Amino acid sequence: MIRVGILGATGFVGAELIRLLVNHPGVEITFLDSRSYKDIDYSTVYPNLRTYINAKCISVDLDSDLDNVDLIFCALPHGLSQEPVKKALEKGIKVIDLSADFRIKDADVYADWYGVEHKAKDDLESAIYGLSEIYSQDIKEANLIANPGCYPTSIIIPLYPLLKENVIKDDVIIVDSKSGVSGAGRTPSEANLYALCNENIKAYSLGKHRHTPEIEQELSAAATRQVMVQFTPHLTPMTRGILSTIYIKNTKYLDYDDIKSIYEDYYKDKFFIRMLNNNEFPQTKAVYGSNFCDIGFTIDKRTNTIIIVSAIDNLVKGAAGQAIQNMNIMFGLKENEGLNIVPIWP
Amino acid sequence: MIRVGILGATGFVGAELIRLLVNHPGVEITFLDSRSYKDIDYSTVYPNLRTYINAKCISVDLDSDLDNVDLIFCALPHGLSQEPVKKALEKGIKVIDLSADFRIKDADVYADWYGVEHKAKDDLESAIYGLSEIYSQDIKEANLIANPGCYPTSIIIPLYPLLKENVIKDDVIIVDSKSGVSGAGRTPSEANLYALCNENIKAYSLGKHRHTPEIEQELSAAATRQVMVQFTPHLTPMTRGILSTIYIKNTKYLDYDDIKSIYEDYYKDKFFIRMLNNNEFPQTKAVYGSNFCDIGFTIDKRTNTIIIVSAIDNLVKGAAGQAIQNMNIMFGLKENEGLNIVPIWP
Amino acid sequence: MIRVGILGATGFVGAELIRLLVNHPGVEITFLDSRSYKDIDYSTVYPNLRTYINAKCISVDLDSDLDNVDLIFCALPHGLSQEPVKKALEKGIKVIDLSADFRIKDADVYADWYGVEHKAKDDLESAIYGLSEIYSQDIKEANLIANPGCYPTSIIIPLYPLLKENVIKDDVIIVDSKSGVSGAGRTPSEANLYALCNENIKAYSLGKHRHTPEIEQELSAAATRQVMVQFTPHLTPMTRGILSTIYIKNTKYLDYDDIKSIYEDYYKDKFFIRMLNNNEFPQTKAVYGSNFCDIGFTIDKRTNTIIIVSAIDNLVKGAAGQAIQNMNIMFGLKENEGLNIVPIWP
Amino acid sequence: MIRVGILGATGFVGAELIRLLVNHPGVEITFLDSRSYKDIDYSTVYPNLRTYINAKCISVDLDSDLDNVDLIFCALPHGLSQEPVKKALEKGIKVIDLSADFRIKDADVYADWYGVEHKAKDDLESAIYGLSEIYSQDIKEANLIANPGCYPTSIIIPLYPLLKENVIKDDVIIVDSKSGVSGAGRTPSEANLYALCNENIKAYSLGKHRHTPEIEQELSAAATRQVMVQFTPHLTPMTRGILSTIYIKNTKYLDYDDIKSIYEDYYKDKFFIRMLNNNEFPQTKAVYGSNFCDIGFTIDKRTNTIIIVSAIDNLVKGAAGQAIQNMNIMFGLKENEGLNIVPIWP
């Protein structure tokens, strides 16, 4: 049994980790850390988990409370992970960090986009970017996983093979993403107020969203050249789900089957990647509550453009699910252990 | 392995059965019947089930196609079950019928409320009303289960113990229920059109809803006297969930603990019934996608009224989940086999 | 031109006042008060009002800023109205207060339910309860209007005539109300968080909601005896609208037409009350964005129960619209001046 | 008084015309045509219009019923307008057609994208494309207006000035649009079923949407060269609203102010075009229920891309509102007569 502790257990990502872990046959939850809900029954905060969790939140003391733990999931807000990660690693405990703190390899880029200096640059170097389908070899050996952002997961998975195989020549790739409101977190604010989100769609952070450097880092690595994305996130009136629509020039005049076969080379045996058939396109409902990433694409001959659409559940494949997938890889379990969840429809 | 066939596989209830059965360790799906989608890949109709179902719908011939089946789930529209149920029973195949056709014991009452004569009165007598927590003994021995309606499930579970224990003296019990739109089925109509349901609440079928005689039959059996309900269903802008708010007179001046202990006598060991603590009340999200029925109640001393609130997922405990729970009981499996699904939140 | 100032202009009720007032031919807005948004362009907070409002919020000084004002709309949170109302009245300015502070005539009852002592008891006595259709005579002469609560409006309008005409004998009237989330206000909290409200229904404040004494005060006045209500509000996944379902015993064995004619006596000439035909029932969408109150009812002969359903837009007839209707009455304008707004559908 | 008849009065667009026309001071509605609801009270189909409409639908006979009419709004499904338009024009009655039938000037292009031959090619030539802000001079003189599609309105308005002023050099302009479900009409189908649209986003008609030739026709006219758009519509879980996100290369290295001033030249005096300030972006809620088109844009210096976002209410500026705006222009009324409706928020 892998003994896991969860830091930041009462955020939406923390709660999703717990939803998925309580039925995971290889895991035992050791503690649920939450400063704001210290000493409060977890199931009063997340009443869906009645029956499954009968424990109070603690405010963990990293110096004394980590003895019975093999792995920590760190689901703290950006900027707060660096210190606990450092401490856990020093104690020889593996860490999967779900914040942005260890995703950007270049500390200057991190400082530019996140507006603060990085305080754990050593660990940054050893961190493995946890895109499970791409980096599983490295993940196996890792002590620290930087779990990918939700938008980046939905964008890098469909683009990586095409950049690696040199299909894409665009200097700037246009990505138009639509996210449900749970991506704005559980701390009440105008960004996640019901009355302002319902019956409303808006674009935000145009040209400035912090997931941009993360996406570009990985796409550039795939292409072995500097790639830029024009990334526009939209807030849409639903709780879960990200749909990303991606536009690239078909410079090499490839056919549908050419591209399909590239995807099959990369993802054929990947349980969580579902390639759709010709003329089928993803919808967020088809992955609801699950760890799947659905991908469909078409080639518009008229405009010579490839349009790719991907769908994930932002809290599962975009956060907690992929984190557990990474745990499974790290500890030698089956990749979909505890994650073989059929999407809910309708 | 229980070999099951599903009649009416492309309705929402059929699809929910399949979502739950594909991961059930003791079940093998033999066929998916759907007249309208004959020869069509099931996963193009329900794209959430890609990876899990790789089969085409068939239009089943009851005379020739039932040889490899131990159990049939019949998820056909009301009125269409009687003939296939008859045939399956004759062949010695067990049946769980999810329509209303075998719920009402009195064929005259059925004719009154459903407007058609019953065509399988013999089987009506042998049918067991499949409210799993109440009738598990009978369900074990049954060949034909009449699976309860969604509203009735949310209403009978919280009321049965109180009527059985003679707590309720009301001649008419007031029940105000709120349902998500999936209850209106998958056949497009004005009742389930997005633009007419979204940002809208309405009451419907006041004093006339067909679930009324089903509720009254079971409550009267519990009370061993004729009980009536004033049942008002409401259509509310969400996909899944039923919340029922029930008002009864506290004629015996009971305390919170008196009633709590009655509930505990009946439901303490029932996995799927979750009694909430004092001052906690159910919400549909806390049971989303799961087979749980959450119950909370309060006693208003000012008005001497007991108010009970219950929440279920209409497609799970209100339909497919309870059907599988009944199958588990019939075949001697653990009651929650394949149904140990944590509700999704948020 | 009536010169009006708005206190608390950036809450949802304040914003709704402004939406309705900018096109009112007899009104000129003098100031928009908002402590939190002082010096900020109003239309950056409410971008729907671009073109219509080109002004910054001020933090009003009641001693010096009221000279050019004939009327104040006070849309402050409960408990904060008493002092500004006092000051404005002393200066001879008319006030329509949209908080609960002047609705409850008995200061002890107020203290009981709201948990604080009333600090303006003198003004309490002179306040007129602004249910426009019932108290228009008093409203004409009033200097201070206590604008009714949203739930109470949806409940008192359909019940008042029946209590006045002695139709209802129940000691306790059961009222089951369903509200959209905008009723929870604009201050972000768990109660109005998108991800917790969407796809969710819950009952709240069972037996304890603060609108209870307000409803009972008015119903008791109509009946000239003490009437109690069992009032259960529910939070439902929509932005606007309240649907109230009301259950009363038909002790006098009245027919549909008897009750219909009572309603017609009271409401025939009332522009904003729409009595539905037999077998038609209200839905919140049919009043969306408008000042209408739709009422339908049925008599269930089987149970001898009258079921009444009413629908309003909580921000219009339940708040800002009725306030403006009261202003029109106070200043001798046509009752529906500026309020002749067709509901939006779909 | 302009006497108007409405063909196809019970579709969503027909109903929106009526919502807007009942309070229009210069209009009298002569008949409401609807084959499916012949002899049925209009307000039972659209209960929001109780009080405002007290008339039954008729099935109009174009040979005999057009005598008292100055103008016909034709809100029939695509393909059904050609014959009635012909007849009305022959009788000297002006027509505003809200279908696609007269938008595409080239009958071959129409046949290509709509799959049927055009049956009124003569009238096609005389039809004026009714984008009110662009073609008001021609609209004044027109007898037949082809009212623009909803998506095209949201796309052409922001792009027209930039193409006219030669700012855009792209051969293919990328447009990613998000629409509410009311755009899918009122005829129940899987495309507008609540349970399949709620909590779901999907792209559809990739590279094939019928609004593409309409958009390209107008943009090419502006640019005086052949322009293509890569247009991807998305179905999103809301009733009303279209948000279009448009990506163009900033080939001329313009600044924010350069582009702003182009927009001001074109739209400064246009009541219904609201240019947002720098760093403000449209959201559909800010135009809800109104005839406004909000436009915001930014220049991403990093990628040298101009990103424009526009928002409209698809049923108002995208259909019925613009049709009435065109009527106002045709009959010499103030452009915003009857359309001065403040958007609803929240």
Side-chain angles (χ1 to χ4, degrees):
Chain A
M1 293 296 261
I2 313 168
R3 298 163 307 165
V4 312
I6 296 166
L7 298 182
T10 51
F12 283 153
V13 170
E16 191 71 352
L17 281 165
I18 294 162
R19 174 176 82 90
L20 298 168
L21 289 173
V22 290
N23 275 341
H24 193 297
V27 167
E28 184 187 317
I29 299 176
T30 302
F31 66 78
L32 305 174
D33 160 80
S34 167
R35 236 157 261 207
S36 6
Y37 290 92
K38 185 172 185 282
D39 294 335
I40 291 178
D41 270 327
Y42 191 79
S43 70
T44 65
V45 190
Y46 283 97
N48 61 317
L49 284 162
R50 283 177 198 125
T51 301
Y52 293 97
I53 291 281
N54 189 8
K56 290 183 194 310
C57 297
I58 64 162
S59 178
V60 84
D61 180 334
L62 294 166
D63 293 318
S64 58
D65 290 346
L66 296 187
D67 292 343
N68 304 312
V69 172
D70 303 306
L71 169 71
I72 278 179
F73 288 103
C74 192
L76 297 168
H78 302 314
L80 300 185
S81 287
Q82 295 160 32
E83 205 184 307
V85 165
K86 211 182 224 334
K87 286 214 170 174
L89 290 175
E90 283 165 12
K91 285 175 180 270
I93 295 168
K94 287 174 187 284
V95 178
I96 297 176
D97 180 47
L98 291 102
S99 82
D101 285 8
F102 295 91
R103 296 176 194 157
I104 313 285
K105 287 289 169 205
D106 184 329
D108 293 341
V109 173
Y110 178 87
D112 267 10
W113 286 81
Y114 285 84
V116 287
E117 279 304 303
H118 205 283
K119 289 173 291 187
K121 293 184 189 171
D122 296 355
D123 299 321
L124 199 52
E125 271 171 51
S126 72
I128 297 300
Y129 188 73
L131 202 61
S132 321
E133 279 75 15
I134 307 292
Y135 297 117
S136 58
Q137 289 311 316
D138 297 328
I139 292 166
K140 263 181 207 163
E141 318 291 331
N143 289 316
L144 170 58
I145 298 291
N147 211 62
C150 50
Y151 286 121
T153 296
S154 77
I155 295 162
I156 302 167
I157 289 178
L159 281 175
Y160 189 93
L162 305 191
L163 282 157
K164 195 84 179 176
E165 298 302 320
N166 232 343
V167 168
I168 300 177
K169 299 289 176 200
D170 305 57
D171 294 323
V172 177
I173 299 170
I174 288 172
V175 181
D176 191 288
S177 294
K178 298 91 183 163
S179 172
V181 183
S182 62
R186 188 170 170 277
T187 307
S189 77
E190 280 194 36
N192 55 20
L193 200 62
Y194 184 89
L196 301 189
C197 294
N198 187 39
E199 280 290 290
N200 199 11
I201 290 193
K202 60 178 164 192
Y204 67 100
S205 300
L206 282 85
K208 297 178 183 168
H209 195 279
R210 290 170 166 184
H211 283 168
T212 308
E214 180 183 341
I215 301 164
E216 294 183 345
Q217 166 182 290
E218 296 303 316
L219 298 187
S220 299
T224 60
R225 63 180 174 96
Q226 185 60 37
V227 172
M228 281 196 290
V229 294
Q230 189 66 47
F231 169 55
T232 312
H234 296 76
L235 194 64
T236 58
M238 58 186 192
T239 299
R240 285 169 179 252
I242 287 178
L243 192 89
S244 287
T245 313
I246 302 168
Y247 302 89
I248 53 188
K249 290 246 178 63
N250 186 13
T251 346
K252 294 191 154 176
Y253 296 89
L254 298 181
D255 285 332
Y256 183 88
D257 289 338
D258 300 330
I259 292 177
K260 184 81 179 236
S261 81
I262 293 175
Y263 277 125
E264 277 171 2
D265 284 354
Y266 279 74
Y267 293 141
K268 202 178 183 176
D269 303 325
K270 302 296 181 185
F271 183 79
F272 293 118
I273 311 291
R274 302 194 297 194
M275 289 306 305
L276 275 53
N277 294 323
N278 203 347
N279 287 317
E280 287 179 353
F281 296 94
Q283 42 191 321
T284 57
K285 191 179 279 299
V287 299
Y288 207 87
S290 83
N291 200 49
F292 290 106
C293 175
D294 281 5
I295 302 174
F297 68 94
T298 193
I299 297 174
D300 189 339
K301 302 254 158 156
R302 223 176 56 92
T303 59
N304 204 32
T305 305
I306 304 168
I307 310 161
I308 310 168
V309 183
S310 70
I312 61 167
D313 184 315
N314 59 310
L315 293 176
V316 190
K317 185 63 181 169
Q322 186 156 245
I324 293 170
Q325 187 180 356
N326 287 331
M327 176 196 76
N328 287 340
I329 298 172
M330 290 165 91
F331 287 83
L333 304 177
K334 241 175 50 191
E335 196 167 343
N336 67 356
E337 191 76 68
L339 292 172
N340 192 357
I341 292 171
V342 187
I344 284 195
W345 178 293
Chain B
M1 293 297 260
I2 313 168
R3 299 163 305 166
V4 312
I6 295 167
L7 299 182
T10 51
F12 283 154
V13 169
E16 190 72 354
L17 281 165
I18 295 162
R19 175 177 79 91
L20 298 168
L21 289 173
V22 290
N23 275 341
H24 192 296
V27 167
E28 183 187 317
I29 298 177
T30 303
F31 65 78
L32 305 173
D33 159 79
S34 166
R35 236 156 262 209
S36 6
Y37 291 92
K38 186 171 185 281
D39 294 334
I40 292 178
D41 270 327
Y42 192 79
S43 70
T44 64
V45 190
Y46 284 96
N48 60 318
L49 284 162
R50 280 176 199 126
T51 300
Y52 293 97
I53 292 280
N54 190 8
K56 290 183 195 310
C57 297
I58 64 162
S59 178
V60 83
D61 179 333
L62 293 166
D63 294 318
S64 58
D65 290 347
L66 297 186
D67 292 342
N68 303 313
V69 171
D70 302 307
L71 170 71
I72 279 180
F73 289 102
C74 191
L76 296 168
H78 303 313
L80 300 185
S81 287
Q82 297 160 30
E83 204 184 308
V85 165
K86 211 182 223 333
K87 286 213 172 174
L89 290 175
E90 282 165 13
K91 284 175 180 271
I93 295 168
K94 288 174 187 281
V95 178
I96 297 176
D97 180 47
L98 292 101
S99 81
D101 284 8
F102 294 92
R103 295 176 193 156
I104 313 285
K105 286 290 169 202
D106 185 330
D108 293 340
V109 173
Y110 178 86
D112 267 9
W113 288 80
Y114 286 84
V116 287
E117 279 306 301
H118 204 284
K119 288 173 289 186
K121 293 185 190 172
D122 296 353
D123 298 321
L124 198 54
E125 269 171 50
S126 72
I128 297 299
Y129 189 73
L131 201 61
S132 320
E133 279 76 13
I134 307 292
Y135 297 118
S136 58
Q137 288 311 316
D138 297 329
I139 292 165
K140 263 181 207 164
E141 318 292 331
N143 289 316
L144 169 57
I145 298 290
N147 212 60
C150 51
Y151 286 122
T153 296
S154 77
I155 295 163
I156 302 168
I157 289 177
L159 280 176
Y160 189 93
L162 304 192
L163 282 158
K164 194 84 179 176
E165 298 301 320
N166 229 342
V167 167
I168 299 177
K169 299 290 177 197
D170 305 58
D171 293 322
V172 177
I173 298 170
I174 289 171
V175 180
D176 192 287
S177 294
K178 298 92 185 165
S179 173
V181 182
S182 63
R186 187 169 170 279
T187 307
S189 77
E190 282 194 34
N192 55 20
L193 200 63
Y194 184 88
L196 301 190
C197 293
N198 187 40
E199 280 290 290
N200 198 11
I201 289 193
K202 62 177 164 191
Y204 68 100
S205 300
L206 283 86
K208 297 177 184 169
H209 195 280
R210 289 170 168 184
H211 283 168
T212 307
E214 180 183 342
I215 301 165
E216 294 184 344
Q217 165 182 292
E218 296 304 315
L219 298 187
S220 299
T224 59
R225 63 180 173 95
Q226 184 59 37
V227 172
M228 283 196 288
V229 294
Q230 189 66 49
F231 169 56
T232 313
H234 296 76
L235 194 65
T236 59
M238 57 186 193
T239 299
R240 286 169 179 251
I242 287 179
L243 192 88
S244 287
T245 312
I246 301 169
Y247 301 89
I248 53 187
K249 290 246 176 65
N250 187 12
T251 347
K252 293 190 155 177
Y253 297 90
L254 299 181
D255 285 331
Y256 182 87
D257 289 340
D258 300 330
I259 292 176
K260 183 81 179 236
S261 82
I262 292 174
Y263 276 125
E264 278 172 1
D265 283 354
Y266 279 74
Y267 293 140
K268 204 178 182 176
D269 302 326
K270 302 296 180 185
F271 183 80
F272 292 118
I273 312 291
R274 303 194 297 193
M275 289 305 306
L276 276 54
N277 294 323
N278 204 347
N279 287 317
E280 287 179 355
F281 295 95
Q283 41 190 321
T284 56
K285 191 179 277 301
V287 299
Y288 207 87
S290 83
N291 201 47
F292 290 107
C293 175
D294 282 4
I295 303 174
F297 68 93
T298 192
I299 297 174
D300 189 338
K301 301 255 160 157
R302 222 175 57 91
T303 59
N304 203 34
T305 305
I306 304 168
I307 310 160
I308 310 168
V309 184
S310 70
I312 61 168
D313 184 314
N314 58 309
L315 292 176
V316 190
K317 185 63 180 170
Q322 186 156 245
I324 293 170
Q325 187 180 357
N326 287 330
M327 176 197 75
N328 288 340
I329 297 173
M330 288 165 90
F331 286 83
L333 304 177
K334 243 175 50 190
E335 196 168 344
N336 66 357
E337 192 76 68
L339 292 173
N340 192 359
I341 292 170
V342 187
I344 286 196
W345 178 294
Chain C
M1 291 299 259
I2 313 169
R3 299 163 305 167
V4 313
I6 295 167
L7 299 181
T10 50
F12 283 153
V13 170
E16 190 72 353
L17 282 165
I18 294 162
R19 174 175 81 91
L20 298 168
L21 289 173
V22 291
N23 274 341
H24 192 296
V27 167
E28 184 187 314
I29 297 177
T30 303
F31 65 79
L32 303 174
D33 160 79
S34 166
R35 235 156 262 208
S36 7
Y37 291 92
K38 186 171 184 281
D39 294 333
I40 292 178
D41 270 328
Y42 191 79
S43 70
T44 63
V45 190
Y46 284 97
N48 61 318
L49 284 161
R50 281 177 197 125
T51 300
Y52 293 97
I53 292 281
N54 190 7
K56 289 183 195 309
C57 298
I58 65 163
S59 177
V60 84
D61 180 333
L62 293 167
D63 294 318
S64 59
D65 290 346
L66 298 186
D67 292 342
N68 303 313
V69 171
D70 302 309
L71 169 72
I72 278 180
F73 288 102
C74 192
L76 297 168
H78 302 312
L80 300 185
S81 287
Q82 298 162 29
E83 204 183 308
V85 165
K86 211 183 224 337
K87 287 213 172 174
L89 290 175
E90 282 165 13
K91 284 173 180 273
I93 294 168
K94 287 175 187 283
V95 178
I96 297 177
D97 180 48
L98 291 101
S99 81
D101 284 8
F102 294 91
R103 295 176 193 156
I104 313 285
K105 286 293 168 198
D106 185 330
D108 293 342
V109 173
Y110 179 87
D112 267 10
W113 288 80
Y114 284 84
V116 287
E117 279 304 301
H118 205 284
K119 287 173 290 185
K121 293 183 189 173
D122 296 353
D123 298 321
L124 198 53
E125 270 170 51
S126 73
I128 297 299
Y129 188 73
L131 201 61
S132 319
E133 279 76 13
I134 308 291
Y135 297 118
S136 59
Q137 289 312 315
D138 298 329
I139 292 165
K140 265 182 204 162
E141 317 292 331
N143 290 316
L144 169 58
I145 298 291
N147 212 61
C150 51
Y151 286 121
T153 295
S154 77
I155 295 162
I156 301 168
I157 289 177
L159 280 176
Y160 188 93
L162 304 191
L163 283 157
K164 195 82 178 179
E165 298 302 320
N166 231 341
V167 166
I168 300 177
K169 300 291 177 197
D170 305 58
D171 294 322
V172 177
I173 298 170
I174 289 172
V175 180
D176 192 287
S177 294
K178 298 90 184 165
S179 173
V181 182
S182 63
R186 189 171 170 277
T187 308
S189 77
E190 282 193 34
N192 54 20
L193 199 63
Y194 184 88
L196 301 190
C197 293
N198 187 40
E199 280 290 290
N200 198 11
I201 289 194
K202 62 176 163 193
Y204 67 100
S205 300
L206 282 85
K208 297 177 184 169
H209 194 279
R210 289 168 167 188
H211 283 169
T212 307
E214 180 182 342
I215 301 164
E216 293 184 346
Q217 166 181 290
E218 296 304 315
L219 298 187
S220 299
T224 61
R225 62 179 174 97
Q226 185 59 39
V227 172
M228 284 195 288
V229 295
Q230 188 66 48
F231 169 55
T232 312
H234 296 75
L235 194 65
T236 59
M238 58 186 190
T239 299
R240 285 168 178 253
I242 287 179
L243 191 88
S244 288
T245 312
I246 301 169
Y247 301 89
I248 53 186
K249 289 247 175 63
N250 186 14
T251 347
K252 293 188 156 181
Y253 297 90
L254 299 181
D255 283 332
Y256 183 87
D257 289 338
D258 300 329
I259 292 175
K260 184 81 180 235
S261 82
I262 292 173
Y263 277 125
E264 278 172 1
D265 284 355
Y266 279 73
Y267 294 140
K268 202 177 183 174
D269 303 326
K270 302 296 182 186
F271 183 80
F272 293 118
I273 312 291
R274 303 195 297 195
M275 289 305 308
L276 275 53
N277 294 323
N278 204 347
N279 286 318
E280 287 179 354
F281 295 95
Q283 41 190 322
T284 57
K285 189 178 280 300
V287 299
Y288 207 87
S290 83
N291 200 48
F292 290 106
C293 175
D294 281 4
I295 302 174
F297 68 93
T298 193
I299 297 174
D300 189 338
K301 300 256 160 156
R302 221 175 58 91
T303 60
N304 204 33
T305 305
I306 305 168
I307 310 161
I308 310 168
V309 183
S310 70
I312 62 169
D313 183 315
N314 59 310
L315 292 175
V316 191
K317 185 63 181 171
Q322 185 156 246
I324 292 169
Q325 187 181 357
N326 287 330
M327 177 197 75
N328 288 340
I329 298 172
M330 290 164 90
F331 286 83
L333 304 176
K334 242 176 49 191
E335 196 168 342
N336 67 356
E337 193 76 68
L339 292 172
N340 192 357
I341 292 171
V342 187
I344 286 195
W345 179 294
Chain D
M1 293 297 262
I2 313 167
R3 298 163 306 166
V4 313
I6 296 167
L7 297 182
T10 50
F12 283 153
V13 170
E16 191 71 353
L17 281 165
I18 295 162
R19 174 176 82 90
L20 298 167
L21 289 173
V22 290
N23 276 340
H24 192 296
V27 167
E28 185 187 315
I29 298 177
T30 302
F31 66 78
L32 305 173
D33 159 80
S34 167
R35 236 157 262 207
S36 6
Y37 290 92
K38 185 169 183 284
D39 295 334
I40 292 178
D41 270 327
Y42 192 79
S43 70
T44 65
V45 190
Y46 284 97
N48 61 319
L49 284 162
R50 281 177 199 126
T51 300
Y52 293 97
I53 291 281
N54 189 8
K56 291 184 195 308
C57 298
I58 64 163
S59 178
V60 85
D61 179 332
L62 293 166
D63 293 318
S64 58
D65 289 346
L66 296 186
D67 292 342
N68 304 312
V69 171
D70 302 308
L71 170 71
I72 278 179
F73 288 103
C74 192
L76 297 168
H78 302 313
L80 300 185
S81 287
Q82 297 161 30
E83 203 184 309
V85 164
K86 210 181 225 334
K87 287 212 171 176
L89 290 175
E90 282 165 13
K91 285 173 179 273
I93 295 168
K94 288 175 186 281
V95 177
I96 297 177
D97 180 46
L98 292 102
S99 82
D101 284 7
F102 294 91
R103 295 176 192 156
I104 312 287
K105 287 290 169 204
D106 185 330
D108 294 341
V109 173
Y110 178 87
D112 268 10
W113 287 81
Y114 285 84
V116 287
E117 278 306 302
H118 205 285
K119 288 172 291 186
K121 293 184 189 170
D122 296 354
D123 299 320
L124 199 52
E125 270 171 50
S126 73
I128 297 299
Y129 189 72
L131 202 61
S132 321
E133 279 75 15
I134 308 292
Y135 296 118
S136 58
Q137 289 311 316
D138 297 329
I139 292 165
K140 262 181 208 162
E141 317 292 332
N143 290 316
L144 170 58
I145 298 290
N147 213 61
C150 51
Y151 287 121
T153 296
S154 76
I155 295 161
I156 302 167
I157 289 177
L159 281 176
Y160 189 93
L162 305 191
L163 283 157
K164 195 85 179 174
E165 297 302 321
N166 231 342
V167 167
I168 300 177
K169 299 288 178 202
D170 305 58
D171 294 322
V172 177
I173 299 171
I174 289 171
V175 180
D176 191 287
S177 294
K178 298 92 184 164
S179 172
V181 182
S182 63
R186 187 170 171 279
T187 307
S189 77
E190 281 193 35
N192 54 20
L193 199 63
Y194 184 89
L196 300 189
C197 293
N198 187 41
E199 281 290 289
N200 198 12
I201 290 193
K202 61 177 164 194
Y204 67 101
S205 299
L206 282 86
K208 297 177 184 169
H209 195 280
R210 290 170 166 184
H211 284 168
T212 307
E214 180 182 342
I215 301 164
E216 293 183 346
Q217 166 182 290
E218 297 303 316
L219 298 187
S220 299
T224 60
R225 61 179 174 96
Q226 185 59 38
V227 172
M228 282 196 287
V229 294
Q230 189 66 48
F231 169 55
T232 313
H234 296 76
L235 194 64
T236 58
M238 59 187 192
T239 299
R240 285 169 178 252
I242 287 178
L243 192 89
S244 287
T245 312
I246 301 168
Y247 301 88
I248 53 188
K249 290 246 176 61
N250 186 13
T251 348
K252 293 189 154 179
Y253 297 90
L254 299 181
D255 285 330
Y256 183 87
D257 288 339
D258 300 330
I259 291 176
K260 183 81 179 235
S261 82
I262 293 174
Y263 276 125
E264 277 172 1
D265 283 354
Y266 279 74
Y267 293 140
K268 202 180 182 172
D269 303 325
K270 302 296 181 186
F271 183 80
F272 292 118
I273 311 291
R274 303 193 298 194
M275 290 305 305
L276 275 52
N277 294 321
N278 203 346
N279 286 318
E280 286 178 354
F281 296 94
Q283 42 191 319
T284 57
K285 191 178 278 300
V287 299
Y288 207 87
S290 84
N291 200 48
F292 290 106
C293 175
D294 281 4
I295 302 174
F297 68 93
T298 193
I299 297 174
D300 189 338
K301 302 255 160 159
R302 222 175 56 91
T303 59
N304 204 33
T305 305
I306 304 169
I307 310 161
I308 310 168
V309 184
S310 69
I312 61 167
D313 184 316
N314 58 311
L315 292 176
V316 191
K317 185 63 179 169
Q322 186 155 247
I324 293 170
Q325 186 181 359
N326 286 331
M327 177 196 74
N328 289 339
I329 297 171
M330 289 165 90
F331 286 83
L333 304 177
K334 244 177 47 191
E335 197 168 342
N336 67 358
E337 192 74 68
L339 292 173
N340 192 356
I341 292 171
V342 187
I344 285 195
W345 179 293

